[in-house]
Amino acid sequence: MHVMRGIPATAATAALSMALAATLAACGAGEDGGREGGTAAPSAAATTPGAIAWAPCTDIKRPGGQRATPEPGEECGKLTVPLDYADPAAGTIDIALIRFKATGPGERIGSLLFNFGGPGASGVDTLAQAAKAFGALRTRYDLVSFDPRGVERSSGVRCGGTAEMDEYTSVDSVPEDAAERAEIEKVVEGFADACEQTSGKVLPYIGTVNAAEDMERMRAALGDAKLNYVGMSYGTHLGAVYATRYPKNVGRFLLDAPMDPSLSMREHTLAQTAGFQQAYESFLKDCVKDGQCKIGADADAADGNVTAMLEKLDDKPLAVGGRELTQGLAVTAIASALYSEQTWPFLDQALSTAMRGDGQGLMFLADTYTGREPDGSYSTIMSSFPAISCVDTAERPDEAELLKTEKEALKVSPLFGSAGMGSVCSSWPVAGSDESKKIDASGSAPIMVIAGTGDPATPYEWGPKLTEQLGTGVLVTYKGEGHGAYMSGDECVKQVADGYLLDGEVPAEGTTCPKE
């Protein structure tokens, strides 16, 4: 079982991967990290619903551990909101936020809220790592992000401890026989049971519709008449739901690496499988173009060597320290590196060393994707991702439907084909709803949507579809590789996006980057 989610590679994580490419021995190194903790305790006067309690940040995480010193100008806070918007008297939940105040020059526009995707990525940690990449926007905006409900500091969903998470993340991507299929189903069911035992109270209230309602409370608490927003990957879905529910409160909205919320699980799985297969083939072609590719002399040879290695791992996982690199973890590692062209050279090196019996590089890539820290603790990403995804759909496919999807997906890609999120949602302990699939932002200000032709996680065709559903969307096409356009480094994208966010310049229909 292999489930692919969407989180754009930030400048910080891409740089880290490239730095470690020089020495795979560093892949297993790091400080003790991943400790869970809250933001600084707010004063009693600031804890009333509707007010954000701002204080110095005390628990920012970075890859490999917890950051020692705060960044200049940052502050963390929390906003108390209803746990159940249908029954506000049923209790509350605290949403964790982070803010970098505008630096100038220029007149402050307001706040610019970010969601970096997943679903389940920590906006607090990601913005802390990537804030410098948004320096131009910070001249006139307070940069703000948050951990959505069910993520990290905002009552993050957890599904057991290290042993349970290691078992769940290590299962093979595709079962070879009935016995292996039964074992995978047992692991998935055990994972879902652990989620209910650990986080059962919040599971029914985790989801995009409630997160959009939280964003409306954030807008009011930040003092903005309109919500200005950058949503990446899953963040485009969240932004689209907000715009549907509050079209008159939409300010400048940039939706980068768009999702198509209308898709069924089967349609989503097949499209994303094709996207990752396309990115994998692009990686192979790029790898062999200069004769320096470590995994093969040509694309076919390289692919054959990767396939052979994965087959060996299926029979006998590689020992990495006190752990095992399984076939499932290796596929996760490959998918992880396909999110950004910057990590392709590292993938070539990691694959080649694994072929020689050293799995450290692939294990590092897999751990980066699954949120596993060197001390064995996990972030909430692998738990909050299914928690949000399964609440956002009423689908609960049976075994026959899952097998059909898996069979179709394997025809698209023997490497990445699987039954997708349906495998988890079929065992999920709470019901879901299709409410977040209904998108119509009629009456809102123009919303900029930017889709990449080589995006593995959110295929290009989802861009025109979301633009059409919004009714007020303006599509920009990015002709490039990787997941997400704004962080790609393309100057045309940055110029068009910053012109929209800073000066309100709505892109012309048919705008394409890079400029031809």
Side-chain angles (χ1 to χ4, degrees):
M1 182 203 69
H2 179 68
V3 177
M4 294 166 286
R5 62 176 187 268
I7 303 177
T10 65
T13 54
L16 177 69
S17 295
M18 291 303 293
L20 287 175
T23 167
L24 289 177
C27 293
E31 305 168 27
D32 288 341
R35 298 183 296 274
E36 184 179 12
T39 49
S43 64
T47 59
T48 55
I52 298 175
W54 295 110
C57 299
T58 60
D59 67 343
I60 299 299
K61 298 175 185 177
R62 56 173 174 77
Q66 193 158 310
R67 194 197 60 198
T69 57
E71 292 291 333
E74 72 174 18
E75 54 187 356
C76 288
K78 70 175 185 178
L79 176 66
T80 301
V81 298
L83 175 65
D84 180 2
Y85 280 99
D87 183 11
T92 60
I93 187 171
D94 289 337
I95 307 300
L97 298 98
I98 188 169
R99 176 169 67 179
F100 290 82
K101 286 191 174 182
T103 59
E107 184 180 353
R108 179 182 175 276
I109 297 171
S111 302
L112 183 60
L113 187 67
F114 289 80
N115 180 279
F116 295 98
S122 166
V124 172
D125 292 323
T126 305
L127 186 58
Q129 295 169 27
K132 291 179 181 177
F134 305 108
L137 299 176
R138 191 182 174 190
T139 60
R140 299 186 62 200
Y141 284 106
D142 294 342
L143 306 183
V144 181
S145 194
F146 62 105
D147 290 352
R149 54 174 61 210
V151 176
E152 290 298 332
R153 304 159 186 80
S154 302
S155 299
V157 173
R158 296 195 177 274
C159 302
T162 297
E164 291 80 6
M165 291 301 299
D166 279 350
E167 183 179 40
Y168 174 66
T169 58
S170 297
V171 295
D172 287 347
S173 58
V174 179
E176 287 190 331
D177 51 37
E180 197 169 281
R181 185 179 301 280
E183 178 61 26
I184 291 175
E185 290 175 356
K186 180 181 177 182
V187 171
V188 172
E189 289 172 0
F191 171 79
D193 288 343
C195 295
E196 184 175 28
Q197 292 173 17
T198 310
S199 300
K201 179 181 177 181
V202 299
L203 288 185
Y205 311 107
I206 303 302
T208 302
V209 171
N210 281 332
E213 292 297 329
D214 295 340
M215 282 169 51
E216 172 61 6
R217 273 66 181 178
M218 292 177 210
R219 178 199 63 77
L222 290 166
D224 293 321
K226 304 279 187 179
L227 180 66
N228 302 303
Y229 177 77
V230 174
M232 300 179 177
S233 194
Y234 160 78
T236 66
H237 182 193
L238 178 56
V241 171
Y242 178 90
T244 296
R245 300 176 79 83
Y246 297 99
K248 299 300 183 184
N249 291 346
V250 168
R252 296 171 187 174
F253 262 49
L254 172 62
L255 305 183
D256 181 9
M259 292 181 65
D260 178 4
S262 70
L263 296 179
S264 66
M265 281 188 176
R266 172 185 163 276
E267 291 169 333
H268 184 279
T269 298
L270 295 178
Q272 200 172 56
T273 299
F276 273 88
Q277 180 62 27
Q278 176 185 321
Y280 174 64
E281 292 172 3
S282 296
F283 155 70
L284 294 176
K285 291 176 184 176
D286 181 77
C287 188
V288 303
K289 69 182 181 182
D290 58 4
Q292 301 298 313
C293 189
K294 295 179 174 63
I295 59 174
D298 56 58
D300 288 339
D303 180 46
N305 290 335
V306 171
T307 300
M309 180 202 66
L310 292 173
E311 289 174 351
K312 288 181 181 179
L313 289 177
D314 194 32
D315 295 330
K316 186 179 180 181
L318 272 178
V320 179
R323 300 166 61 198
E324 290 187 335
L325 178 73
T326 63
Q327 182 264 2
L329 282 171
V331 173
T332 297
I334 295 169
S336 175
L338 294 178
Y339 278 71
S340 171
E341 277 187 288
Q342 292 175 290
T343 51
W344 287 5
F346 184 55
L347 177 59
D348 177 35
Q349 186 171 346
L351 286 169
S352 67
T353 55
M355 291 172 188
R356 298 194 301 270
D358 182 353
Q360 287 187 84
L362 290 182
M363 187 70 87
F364 165 73
L365 286 170
D367 286 351
T368 300
Y369 187 89
T370 61
R372 192 186 195 276
E373 298 290 348
D375 67 355
S377 63
Y378 280 82
S379 73
T380 65
I381 183 66
M382 293 300 290
S383 300
S384 53
F385 173 64
I388 296 168
S389 299
C390 293
V391 167
D392 275 358
T393 177
E395 288 186 71
R396 295 295 184 264
D398 58 25
E399 185 176 358
E401 292 175 290
L402 293 174
L403 288 171
K404 180 181 178 181
T405 298
E406 181 183 285
K407 186 175 181 180
E408 290 180 272
L410 286 170
K411 289 181 180 178
V412 175
S413 172
L415 177 57
F416 297 111
S418 73
M421 185 48 63
S423 301
V424 182
C425 293
S426 293
S427 302
W428 202 244
V430 299
S433 165
D434 289 332
E435 184 64 26
S436 72
K437 294 177 179 287
K438 303 169 185 176
I439 302 299
D440 181 0
S442 297
S444 78
I447 296 173
M448 178 176 165
V449 180
I450 183 163
T453 57
D455 195 315
T458 53
Y460 176 78
E461 61 265 26
W462 292 357
K465 290 180 180 178
L466 180 60
T467 302
E468 181 180 2
Q469 292 166 40
L470 287 166
T472 56
V474 178
L475 179 65
V476 173
T477 296
Y478 167 56
K479 292 186 176 181
E481 300 291 338
H483 185 43
Y486 190 89
M487 302 291 288
S488 69
D490 183 80
E491 284 301 319
C492 169
V493 168
K494 191 172 187 302
Q495 182 180 11
V496 172
D498 288 356
Y500 168 72
L501 291 170
L502 292 172
D503 302 317
E505 298 173 356
V506 179
E509 292 284 351
T511 297
T512 299
C513 288
K515 293 179 180 178
E516 298 177 346

